[in-house]
Amino acid sequence: AAGVIQSPRHLIKEKRETATLKCYPIPRHDTVYWYQQGPGQDPQFLISFYEKMQSDKGSIPDRFSAQQFSDYHSELNMSSLELGDSALYFCASSLDPGVETQYFGPGTRLLVL
Amino acid sequence: SQQGEEDPQALSIQEGENATMNCSYKTSINNLQWYRQNSGRGLVHLILIRSNEREKHSGRLRVTLDTSKKSSSLLITASRAADTASYFCANAGGTSYGKLTFGQGTILTVHP
């Protein structure tokens, strides 16, 4: 079965640079979620989209923005990167927000130097 | 804090033994989901239990939910070395649009 695809899998950036993370949900899933997991931490919700509209927002810095496109893929744009942004970034998708299982992608490991 | 707690934080057992992990949460929920994560890798969905369910089974997994105590437990029976991982509970809150709030996770080590 198709899974959530994330790219790139690994990313190294310098401070103050920008990064774009991409997420391709499972086919027919209309909801995408973004989570950030710092070293040794549990995943923290950043933002979600349902039918291409932002549906919920968590602890996402103002330096980050995201959107969901007409083909339901989503991109997380991160600007003015800081050392503390180094983390695993997960995308998840589901068929029915709040009701059904969220399936997670393999994550993008971002290292900011 | 909206985060739940998991207990124990770390659990070390021998192959063949059962492992029980507990999770508490603070808000009302639509459902509670359990995930496994191997070191630094992706989150693998294990089981979802809805707020109107009390117990659910899947293979060697048994999950219980007590909404009056805002708690859940995950039991892994006849553990294997391959079960070694971190286990997280995550609740989809009643008033949110599906976002998951994760517990702090239990690190399970199963010795062969």
Side-chain angles (χ1 to χ4, degrees):
Chain A
V4 177
I5 297 171
Q6 290 188 249
S7 67
R9 294 291 308 278
H10 302 273
L11 194 56
I12 300 175
K13 291 286 185 178
E14 300 279 341
K15 276 171 46 178
R16 292 180 288 279
E17 285 190 324
T18 62
T20 297
L21 278 54
K22 297 185 178 182
C23 168
Y24 297 86
I26 292 171
R28 296 192 302 115
H29 283 195
D30 51 18
T31 307
V32 167
Y33 309 82
W34 286 96
Y35 295 85
Q36 177 193 58
Q37 186 179 29
Q41 304 293 314
D42 54 279
Q44 296 287 314
F45 171 74
L46 293 177
I47 195 167
S48 63
F49 294 88
Y50 169 65
E51 283 292 344
K52 292 155 279 184
M53 299 286 288
Q54 181 182 308
S55 54
D56 207 346
K57 197 171 182 179
S59 49
I60 182 170
D62 292 340
R63 301 176 287 107
F64 294 6
S65 65
Q67 57 182 323
Q68 186 179 32
F69 294 86
S70 58
D71 64 352
Y72 293 99
H73 94 272
S74 178
E75 294 183 4
L76 177 66
N77 299 295
M78 311 159 71
S79 63
S80 302
L81 286 169
E82 301 174 356
L83 297 179
D85 295 330
S86 296
L88 259 174
Y89 290 84
F90 289 108
C91 170
S93 73
S94 72
L95 193 54
D96 191 350
V99 176
E100 297 302 328
T101 297
Q102 287 188 30
Y103 293 94
F104 281 74
T108 293
R109 185 174 294 279
L110 172 66
L111 178 60
V112 182
L113 302 176
Chain B
S1 168
Q2 293 297 308
Q3 293 183 343
E5 296 181 355
E6 289 199 46
D7 165 48
Q9 291 189 342
L11 181 60
S12 182
I13 59 175
Q14 295 294 129
E15 248 186 347
E17 294 181 337
N18 296 341
T20 299
M21 288 159 268
N22 303 298
C23 161
S24 63
Y25 56 91
K26 298 184 178 182
T27 63
S28 61
I29 62 170
N30 289 326
N31 63 66
L32 190 139
Q33 304 181 37
W34 284 89
Y35 291 86
R36 184 186 75 211
Q37 184 178 37
N38 289 86
S39 179
R41 310 200 52 181
L43 290 154
V44 176
H45 181 261
L46 296 176
I47 197 164
L48 178 153
I49 186 165
R50 304 191 190 282
S51 60
N52 61 352
E53 296 176 314
R54 292 296 166 259
E55 188 172 313
K56 204 160 182 181
H57 297 255
S58 176
R60 294 184 295 113
L61 306 180
R62 172 178 169 255
V63 168
T64 62
L65 179 65
D66 187 334
T67 53
S68 66
K69 296 180 179 178
K70 290 187 167 60
S71 68
S72 175
S73 69
L74 170 67
L75 168 67
I76 304 175
T77 60
S79 63
R80 306 166 182 168
D83 294 329
T84 295
S86 292
Y87 291 82
F88 292 93
C89 68
N91 70 78
T95 58
S96 71
Y97 212 68
K99 72 176 184 184
L100 293 178
T101 301
F102 282 80
Q104 292 170 347
T106 294
I107 300 172
L108 173 66
T109 303
V110 182
H111 300 281

